[in-house]
Amino acid sequence: MSGCIIRVEKLNTKGAKLFVDGTLFSGSLGNNIPRLKAVFRVEDRTRRIPIPVIEEGEGYLKFGHVYLLDKLFFNYKNKSDVRLEFELWLGDSRIDVESVECACPLPSGITADASGLTVSKKIAGKKTYINIFELDLRSAVKRVVYTPMVMALGVYFGIYKKLHPVKKNRVTFMSGRRTELGGNMEFVWNELKDCDEIELKTLFFAQTSMMKMVKVLAKFLKLYSTSRVVVVDDFFRLLNTFKRQEDTRIIQLWHACGAFKTFGYTRLGKPGGPHQYDKNHRMYDYAIVSSQEIARHYAEGFGISDSAVIATGIPRTDIFFDENYKSSVTKRLYEKYPALRDKKVLLFAPTFRGNGQVTAYYEIDKIDINALKRKLGDDWAIIIKLHPFCRERFSIDSGLSDSVIDLSDEDELNDLLFITDLLVTDYSSCIFEASLLNIPMVFYVFDLEEYIRDRDFYYEFEGFAPGKIVKTQEALFECIEKGDFEQDKISGFKTKFFDSTDGKSSVRVADKIKSIVRGEI
């Protein structure tokens, strides 16, 4: 497909705000969902932000948005020109922008050329004051009670930092969702624990009482102010509540493989999505991913620079290349669930619907698990693994309880893959791990159009899914009966989303941390 032309029809600045409206013209946008991106460049930093499409027609897109130029990067005071360029993506394909034309007067301090815009004027952010009476009760309480408390702790933290400088060899693993080492953290920790040059610390806590939270905060402030490297594996709110030391570096060992469902700042303007000025995630110095192919998606989702995303591979996937681990796990699972031995295993592992833990659910009436087992016959067993957020469970007929086992609240999903012969899922990221074991997959997506509208993906689903796609229970039963899994899609999928399949991802992350501690980067 040929390139496209962007015509800027409205352009204005007010303080740190940049107002951009225009139209993108292209010969044909095809059947793929067009995704238009604003790419801001400041010195060696980049920030990719989705541009909302206001209207879509035959061969054109109308767009418009307001960008906060002083909020492009976390705690970065920009004194250089801001460069704005545009990207258009159709599925996996990037469409060249042939030219950018301005059909409106250019404000003072803004210049345009054929590839984009340059803002040279001084950017001055303005503090926004919010009327608490216009907020909902929860937000108002947060403003009145929570904010002053955080400000007071911030003053204490500022004093503490001056009295306690960073320890150049201290590396701290932090999580507000786990109480012990696990996942990516455990794999990296094991690579560092025997390193004499590094002092390892931890701060793990889940939901806790107010009294315990005071102790957690005290420990957090101590470790955050004195650590050279802080490692997290999920969203950790305290990191953006208090300003860190200049020498501290933060590494995000995100728990998911690949890039599938849109998340974070990619969801600007969508239900449950953040605002551009939100601080969440944007403080990371490094974020690890499984391949360079998906680096831009993580940079966009986290609101960080492209250069901060590194394709080391995902540490916890190292187990899929460890024959001793595979043998040990398989033996343990068969001893724990002897009914699975000598059976072919279908693992049913869908993700949840809803906007998060509170509203999460799965429509269990969309599949008759008991009927599926009877259809499969005696040679098969079924393991059910619903997302931990889902509370409702399937009702299993008493006569099938030995061969239909609900392990939603037990065992690691990754471990279960070692005894899985067929994975039935929908939009779960477990497909990335399953591909490493070449497990056949069926995608039962009865609500695909609705899910795309509400959640969306980084890739067109039909071309992305490494297996058979079905939308009805009848089609699901039929493809399983025929063994029609389209397994030939797995090889290309795996190559695309994993740069390295050598079982040494943990080593690469650990080496990155060692380089920071040594002052090499």
Side-chain angles (χ1 to χ4, degrees), residues 347-364:
L347 175 61
F348 180 61
T351 192
F352 68 92
R353 276 65 171 168
N355 290 325
Q357 185 170 358
V358 176
T359 60
Y361 68 95
Y362 180 78
E363 296 184 56
I364 61 175

Side-chain angles (χ1 to χ4, degrees), residues 94-95 179 229 332 359 465:
R94 178 177 172 178
I95 309 304
T179 56
V229 180
R332 176 180 63 80
T359 60

Side-chain angles (χ1 to χ4, degrees), residues 269-445:
K270 294 181 179 292
H275 301 286
Q276 184 199 327
Y277 54 79
D278 287 347
K279 296 180 179 180
N280 300 350
H281 298 300
R282 292 171 54 212
M283 76 294 299
Y284 307 143
D285 295 285
Y286 300 101
I288 69 160
V289 293
S290 58
S291 74
Q292 196 58 44
E293 157 71 26
I294 64 172
R296 60 187 171 89
H297 300 313
Y298 276 75
E300 181 181 294
F302 286 143
I304 59 179
S305 181
D306 290 355
S307 59
V309 183
I310 52 176
T312 60
I314 307 301
R316 62 182 175 77
T317 64
D318 289 350
I319 62 173
F320 297 111
F321 308 96
D322 186 336
E323 290 300 322
N324 291 330
Y325 184 87
K326 177 181 179 180
S327 176
S328 173
V329 167
T330 301
K331 180 181 178 181
R332 176 180 63 80
L333 289 173
Y334 284 147
E335 288 176 349
K336 190 174 182 180
Y337 310 107
L340 300 177
R341 194 185 300 273
D342 301 323
K343 299 275 190 182
K344 290 188 287 186
V345 173
L346 183 154
L347 175 61
F348 180 61
T351 192
F352 68 92
R353 276 65 171 168
N355 290 325
Q357 185 170 358
V358 176
T359 60
Y361 68 95
Y362 180 78
E363 296 184 56
I364 61 175
D365 60 341
K366 291 295 184 180
I367 182 169
D368 187 335
I369 287 291
N370 298 298
L372 175 58
K373 173 61 185 78
R374 293 189 176 96
K375 189 80 171 178
L376 291 170
D378 295 335
D379 293 338
W380 284 81
I382 297 176
I383 294 176
I384 300 170
K385 187 68 173 174
L386 295 177
H387 193 282
F389 288 175
C390 299
R391 296 179 179 85
E392 190 175 8
R393 296 289 183 259
F394 285 94
S395 176
I396 301 169
D397 291 350
S398 57
L400 302 176
S401 57
D402 285 342
S403 54
V404 180
I405 307 174
D406 191 336
L407 299 182
S408 299
D409 301 317
E410 301 177 56
D411 294 291
E412 284 285 337
L413 176 56
N414 284 348
D415 286 352
L416 296 176
L417 291 174
F418 286 111
I419 60 170
T420 296
D421 296 284
L422 175 64
L423 172 64
V424 177
T425 185
D426 44 19
Y427 318 112
S428 171
S429 63
C430 69
I431 61 175
F432 294 99
E433 290 86 349
S435 74
L436 293 173
L437 296 175
N438 295 308
I439 298 172
M441 300 176 229
V442 178
F443 293 81
Y444 179 38
V445 288

Side-chain angles (χ1 to χ4, degrees), residues 235-247:
F235 174 53
F236 192 72
R237 185 177 299 278
L238 291 176
L239 294 181
N240 60 33
T241 303
F242 303 98
K243 190 174 181 179
R244 63 179 172 182
Q245 300 269 40
E246 287 187 6
D247 290 342

Side-chain angles (χ1 to χ4, degrees), residues 224-241:
Y224 196 33
S225 67
T226 58
S227 295
R228 172 63 171 145
V229 180
V230 172
V231 182
V232 294
D233 67 348
D234 208 324
F235 174 53
F236 192 72
R237 185 177 299 278
L238 291 176
L239 294 181
N240 60 33
T241 303

Side-chain angles (χ1 to χ4, degrees), residues 422-476:
L422 175 64
L423 172 64
V424 177
T425 185
D426 44 19
Y427 318 112
S428 171
S429 63
C430 69
I431 61 175
F432 294 99
E433 290 86 349
S435 74
L436 293 173
L437 296 175
N438 295 308
I439 298 172
M441 300 176 229
V442 178
F443 293 81
Y444 179 38
V445 288
F446 53 84
D447 57 349
L448 178 58
E449 288 73 21
E450 179 184 349
Y451 202 90
I452 290 174
R453 185 190 70 233
D454 295 341
R455 183 65 191 264
D456 205 4
F457 305 105
Y458 286 109
Y459 300 90
E460 301 301 325
F461 188 83
E462 286 81 357
F464 164 88
K468 182 76 172 182
I469 298 173
V470 295
K471 297 184 179 180
T472 65
Q473 178 173 275
E474 292 73 20
L476 172 64

Side-chain angles (χ1 to χ4, degrees), residues 36-186:
L36 189 59
K37 315 285 185 181
V39 183
F40 291 93
R41 305 186 189 281
V42 179
E43 297 179 336
D44 61 343
R45 290 172 166 81
T46 58
R47 176 83 187 274
R48 185 175 283 101
I49 303 176
I51 301 178
V53 174
I54 300 171
E55 180 184 331
E56 179 180 349
E58 183 61 35
Y60 75 89
L61 300 172
K62 285 190 174 296
F63 62 88
H65 200 53
V66 180
Y67 296 98
L68 307 177
L69 300 182
D70 62 331
K71 305 294 184 183
L72 291 175
F73 305 102
F74 186 78
N75 284 345
Y76 174 69
K77 301 301 182 183
N78 173 43
K79 297 180 181 179
S80 304
D81 292 352
V82 177
R83 177 73 177 171
L84 169 59
E85 298 173 357
F86 299 90
E87 287 183 358
L88 174 66
W89 291 83
L90 295 178
D92 297 359
S93 302
R94 178 177 172 178
I95 309 304
D96 292 333
V97 176
E98 293 181 353
S99 66
V100 177
E101 304 171 353
C102 283
C104 61
L106 293 176
S108 173
I110 297 182
T111 56
D113 55 45
S115 58
L117 308 171
T118 300
V119 182
S120 301
K121 63 181 295 185
K122 185 178 179 181
I123 305 301
K126 186 177 181 181
K127 198 164 186 179
T128 303
Y129 296 92
I130 298 177
N131 184 349
I132 63 170
F133 298 105
E134 296 177 354
L135 302 173
D136 59 74
L137 180 60
R138 182 177 179 182
S139 298
V141 169
K142 180 179 177 181
R143 292 278 175 181
V144 174
V145 178
Y146 177 75
T147 301
M149 181 179 68
V150 169
M151 291 176 65
L153 285 170
V155 171
Y156 170 77
F157 185 49
I159 297 172
Y160 190 94
K161 284 192 299 182
K162 291 181 179 180
L163 299 175
H164 301 83
V166 169
K167 292 188 175 182
K168 300 299 183 182
N169 69 333
R170 176 170 285 180
V171 177
T172 301
F173 289 70
M174 294 185 179
S175 175
R177 296 195 178 187
R178 63 170 70 245
T179 56
E180 59 185 12
L181 271 174
N184 286 326
M185 283 187 169
E186 184 174 8

